[in-house]
């Protein structure tokens, strides 16, 4: 999903991707499977910003077949939610600002009709759900469709006759001087801003902007169970056995409410923005990630559970590194500030302001006695961390390449802690320094090392192999790996990008190279 969208279909139990197909939609905002899994609907925008609805046949996907488009339609109405009726794969419903519509595929065409909302036509509708359970004496389509809104209104629509038959408004609980709050659902005043609604045969679940997941009886007379969150709850779904309710929040969390035990557990947390950098603490089996959502998160690598979260409201963390021996990590920000934080005490230890721009490199020596940082303006800083209060040893200007493509891991320290390598001062040069003093030892021009290349090579990334091999690996713009002798700068050999996958055992893995048994970390 996203710009120029493609859709991936997965086998959920095995986690296997069944197929990837182009949607023909510029950006997709909503997907909905039919109850049978044979039909998939998607809504989004075309290149001109007009709303598009597409229906695909997915019957053959589990047998190795392809997805086939059944119908496509353009519409001028806003669509916030779109669902396929569980009793008929050819019928759909949608809602959005100022509208609720019923859809149907007939003779290969996708057509829709609006529901007459009367005085409620100006509401912002956010989600919809059919009533669950049905009498055999009634036709399948003779059932109620519930639609919720930002204003707290819940409309009951007669699906068969396309009319509004009842309207309720859910209101927040009154808080008085008594500690025990009465759970009255209706009163005067602003309603609960509803984001999602879901039904079982015996109760209803709602998710709202005030941070509550609420469970109601079908008559909405009172709230009989609720779970409070620090952020808006964006969706709610009831398990098939009606014993649990799954919900998501605006901060990317997934939680589960067990109705019988009344216990709530967080199933998963995630960043809400692009992950910019990560660092691994192998001894504690922890992973640190920093993101454009202004958060720094610490995860347990084995359980994938989040352990800590730190927020920088006015800065974006862009580089992170664990201390090799202590429960401490360092974080660099887009403002140029570098901070060290204690996980044991959950507090700030040091703040360094040697840089004036985005941090492109941040790392510790293997013994933890030194820390190094670089920024987009080419400044390089060395810190002594051997004593309790770390201090700056040396700062050099215009030595590291000022190309942001080298971040967030622009610096690499050899496993014996003697050498520091980076791309700079230009993108064609790799410099090696004494890691204890920042005295320059060697400059290597990678643009002319590969005699078979007809173009000037640019150094992209670099890292040291484990001691005692002591090689320096440099990836280039021509998609090659240069294996260099770190002492003399001599080119040992050139490895092509495909061959490199099979040659890591020969050239040696870098000491900070880590392999994870997953492709995406959420």
């Amino acid at each position: 999903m996203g710009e120029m969208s493609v859709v991936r279909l997965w086998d959920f139990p095995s986690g296997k991707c069944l197929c990837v197909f182009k949607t023909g939609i510029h950006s997709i905002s909503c997907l909905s499977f039919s109850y049978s899994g044979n039909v998939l609907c998607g809504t989004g925008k075309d290149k001109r910003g007009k709303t598009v609805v597409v229906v695909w046949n997915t019957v053959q996907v589990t047998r190795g077949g392809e997805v086939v488009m059944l119908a496509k339609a353009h519409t001028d109405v806003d669509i916030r939610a779109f669902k396929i009726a569980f009793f008929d794969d050819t019928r759909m419903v949608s809602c959005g600002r100022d509208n609720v519509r019923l859809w149907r595929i007939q003779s290969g065409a996708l057509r829709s009709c609006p529901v007459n909302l009367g005085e409620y036509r100006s509401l912002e509708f956010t989600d919809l759900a059919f009533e669950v359970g049905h009498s055999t004496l009634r036709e399948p389509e003779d059932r109620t469709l519930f639609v919720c809104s930002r204003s707290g209104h819940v409309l009951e629509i007669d699906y068969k006759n396309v009319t509004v038959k009842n309207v309720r408004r859910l209101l927040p609980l009154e808080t008085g001087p008594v500690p025990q709050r009465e759970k009255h659902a209706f009163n005067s005043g602003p309603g609960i801003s509803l984001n999602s609604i879901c039904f079982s045969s015996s109760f209803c679940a709602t998710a709202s902007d005030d941070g509550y997941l609420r469970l109601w009886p079908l008559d909405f007379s009172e709230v009989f169970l609720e779970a409070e969150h620090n952020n808006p709850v964006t969706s709610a779904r009831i398990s098939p056995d009606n014993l649990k309710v799954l919900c998501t929040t605006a901060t990317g969390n997934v939680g589960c409410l067990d109705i019988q035990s009344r216990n709530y557990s967080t199933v998963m947390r995630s960043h809400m923005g692009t992950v910019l950098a990560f660092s691994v603490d192998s001894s504690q089996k922890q992973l640190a990630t920093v993101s454009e959502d202004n958060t720094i998160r610490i995860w347990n690598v084995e359980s994938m559970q989040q352990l800590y979260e730190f927020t920088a409201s006015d800065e974006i963390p862009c580089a992170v590194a664990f201390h090799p021996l202590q429960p401490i990590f360092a974080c660099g920000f887009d403002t140029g500030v570098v901070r060290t934080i204690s996980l044991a005490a959950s507090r700030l230890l040091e703040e360094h302001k040697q840089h004036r721009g985005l941090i492109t490199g941040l790392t510790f020596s293997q013994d933890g006695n030194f820390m190094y940082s670089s920024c987009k303006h080419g400044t390089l800083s060395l810190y002594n961390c051997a004593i309790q209060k770390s201090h700056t040893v040396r700062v050099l200007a215009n030595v590291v390449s000022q190309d942001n493509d080298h971040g967030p891991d622009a610096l690499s320290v050899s496993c014996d802690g003697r050498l520091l390598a980076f791309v700079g001062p230009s993108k064609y040069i790799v410099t090696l320094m004494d890691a204890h003093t920042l005295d320059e030892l060697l400059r290597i021009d990678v643009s002319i090392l590969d005699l078979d290349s007809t173009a000037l090579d640019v150094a992209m990334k670099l890292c040291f192999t484990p001691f005692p091999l002591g090689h320096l690996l440099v990836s280039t713009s021509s998609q090659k790996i240069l294996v260099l002798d770190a002492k003399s700068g001599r080119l040992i050999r050139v490895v092509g990008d495909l061959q490199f996958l099979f040659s890591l055992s020969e050239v040696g893995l870098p000491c900070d190279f880590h392999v994870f048994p997953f492709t995406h970390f959420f």
Side-chain angles (χ1 to χ4, degrees):
M1 295 172 63
E3 188 176 354
M4 301 303 294
S5 298
V6 297
V7 170
R8 288 176 169 84
L9 300 184
W10 304 81
D11 178 73
F12 187 79
S14 67
K16 178 183 177 182
C17 182
L18 299 175
C19 76
V20 180
F21 66 95
K22 296 180 179 179
T23 63
I25 304 176
H26 187 69
S27 62
I28 290 183
S29 57
C30 179
L31 289 172
S32 174
F33 259 119
S34 64
Y35 184 78
S36 66
N38 294 333
V39 176
L40 175 67
C41 286
T43 64
K45 300 289 185 178
D46 62 14
K47 292 183 179 180
R48 297 177 179 84
K50 194 169 184 179
T51 301
V52 185
V53 180
V54 184
V55 183
W56 298 279
N57 184 325
T58 58
V59 173
Q60 300 299 323
V61 169
T62 57
R63 305 170 192 148
E66 297 181 350
V67 174
V68 179
M69 188 174 70
L70 296 177
K72 183 177 180 179
H74 286 77
T75 178
D76 293 324
V77 301
D78 176 61
I79 296 179
R80 302 293 175 89
F82 193 97
K83 294 182 180 178
I84 302 174
F86 66 86
F87 52 85
D88 189 340
D89 286 359
T90 66
R91 297 173 184 262
M92 303 90 185
V93 291
S94 71
C95 67
R97 186 182 295 274
D98 307 331
N99 78 94
V100 176
R101 299 184 76 86
L102 310 185
W103 300 75
R104 190 171 186 179
I105 298 178
Q106 287 182 316
S107 303
L110 185 59
R111 297 183 173 88
S112 69
C113 68
V115 177
N116 184 0
L117 303 174
E119 61 182 295
Y120 303 103
R121 62 183 177 274
S122 61
L123 298 182
E124 184 178 348
F125 299 101
T126 54
D127 198 15
L128 33 70
F130 282 100
E131 67 171 314
V132 177
H134 190 68
S135 170
T136 56
L137 301 177
R138 297 160 57 192
E139 297 179 18
E141 64 270 20
D142 185 12
R143 59 184 66 242
T144 301
L145 174 67
F146 293 85
V147 187
C148 65
S149 67
R150 295 278 186 205
S151 59
H153 289 89
V154 178
L155 276 61
E156 296 181 24
I157 296 174
D158 185 324
Y159 179 80
K160 181 179 180 180
N161 297 311
V162 198
T163 57
V164 177
K165 63 180 184 180
N166 191 25
V167 178
R168 292 185 172 90
R169 193 179 191 191
L170 309 186
L171 299 169
L173 305 176
E174 291 184 343
T175 56
V178 294
Q180 179 65 35
R181 298 188 302 173
E182 295 185 0
K183 295 182 180 291
H184 294 300
F186 308 104
N187 205 334
S188 60
I192 299 171
S193 181
L194 299 173
N195 293 318
S196 181
I197 191 167
C198 186
F199 283 85
S200 75
S201 57
S202 57
F203 67 93
C204 169
T206 61
S208 51
D209 274 345
D210 60 4
Y212 279 93
L213 168 67
R214 294 180 174 91
L215 305 188
W216 314 73
L218 295 180
D219 62 359
F220 291 92
S221 57
E222 62 177 2
V223 177
F224 67 83
L225 189 60
E226 64 184 17
E228 184 179 7
H229 303 73
N230 294 328
N231 298 280
V233 184
T234 53
S235 66
R237 294 294 181 267
I238 302 170
S239 63
D241 59 10
N242 298 337
L243 298 179
K244 296 179 180 180
V245 181
L246 200 69
C247 69
T248 61
T249 71
T251 53
N253 296 346
V254 178
C256 182
L257 177 61
D258 188 297
I259 298 174
Q260 288 185 325
S261 66
R262 306 173 76 88
N263 289 330
Y264 180 88
S265 60
T266 300
V267 178
M268 185 181 73
R269 301 178 190 270
S270 70
H271 283 291
M272 292 300 292
T274 301
V275 176
L276 301 175
F278 74 93
S279 178
V280 178
D281 182 350
S282 301
S283 61
Q284 299 298 319
K285 298 181 179 179
Q286 292 178 352
L287 173 72
T289 55
V290 295
S291 168
E292 287 180 343
D293 63 8
N294 302 97
T295 66
I296 308 159
R297 302 180 190 233
I298 312 297
W299 314 81
N300 181 287
V301 173
E302 293 183 336
S303 67
M304 305 299 181
Q305 293 299 307
Q306 180 178 303
L307 304 176
Y308 304 91
E309 180 178 334
F310 304 89
T311 301
S313 57
D314 299 324
E315 298 171 293
I316 297 177
C318 49
V320 65
F322 272 113
H323 190 284
L325 303 176
Q326 301 179 39
I328 294 171
F329 71 91
C331 186
F333 296 83
D334 62 336
T335 57
V337 176
V338 175
R339 298 183 177 94
T340 55
I341 299 170
S342 168
L343 286 176
S346 294
R347 68 181 182 89
L348 176 67
L349 296 177
E350 303 286 346
E351 185 174 77
H352 303 282
K353 297 183 178 180
Q354 278 69 38
H355 301 286
R356 293 293 180 266
L358 181 145
I359 300 300
T360 59
L362 185 62
T363 188
F364 286 93
S365 60
Q366 293 298 306
D367 58 10
N369 289 336
F370 296 96
M371 182 176 75
Y372 313 85
S373 63
S374 63
C375 73
K376 70 175 184 178
H377 297 311
T379 303
L380 175 65
S381 295
L382 168 65
Y383 312 86
N384 187 329
C385 303
I387 57 178
Q388 185 173 4
K389 187 176 179 61
S390 62
H391 65 275
T392 305
V393 176
R394 192 175 183 184
V395 178
L396 300 177
N398 301 317
V399 293
V400 181
S401 174
Q402 299 183 30
D403 191 339
N404 287 345
D405 290 341
H406 302 303
D409 47 2
L411 308 176
S412 181
V413 182
S414 62
C415 293
D416 60 5
R418 296 181 179 181
L419 299 175
L420 173 71
F422 54 85
V423 179
S426 75
K427 59 186 178 181
Y428 305 106
I429 303 297
V430 170
T431 298
L432 285 92
M433 289 183 169
D434 185 309
H436 297 169
T437 63
L438 294 192
D439 291 336
E440 184 177 310
L441 302 176
L442 189 65
R443 284 192 180 187
I444 307 169
D445 187 346
V446 301
S447 65
I448 58 174
L449 287 180
D450 186 4
L451 300 179
D452 296 329
S453 177
T454 58
L456 291 178
D457 254 350
V458 173
M460 305 299 293
K461 302 287 184 180
L462 51 75
C463 63
F464 284 97
T465 60
F467 183 80
L469 200 58
H471 293 160
L472 179 65
L473 307 182
V474 181
S475 66
T476 69
S477 55
S478 60
Q479 298 183 358
K480 296 177 180 178
I481 305 295
L482 305 180
V483 184
L484 307 174
D485 184 283
K487 292 183 180 180
S488 64
R490 178 178 60 90
L491 177 64
I492 298 174
R493 65 193 185 104
V494 179
V495 184
D497 56 328
L498 294 178
Q499 184 184 355
F500 177 68
L501 297 176
F502 303 98
S503 303
L504 286 175
S505 59
E506 299 176 36
V507 299
L509 285 173
C511 51
D512 54 353
F513 188 91
H514 300 274
V515 179
F516 296 97
F518 49 84
T519 55
H520 298 284
F521 194 92
F522 299 99

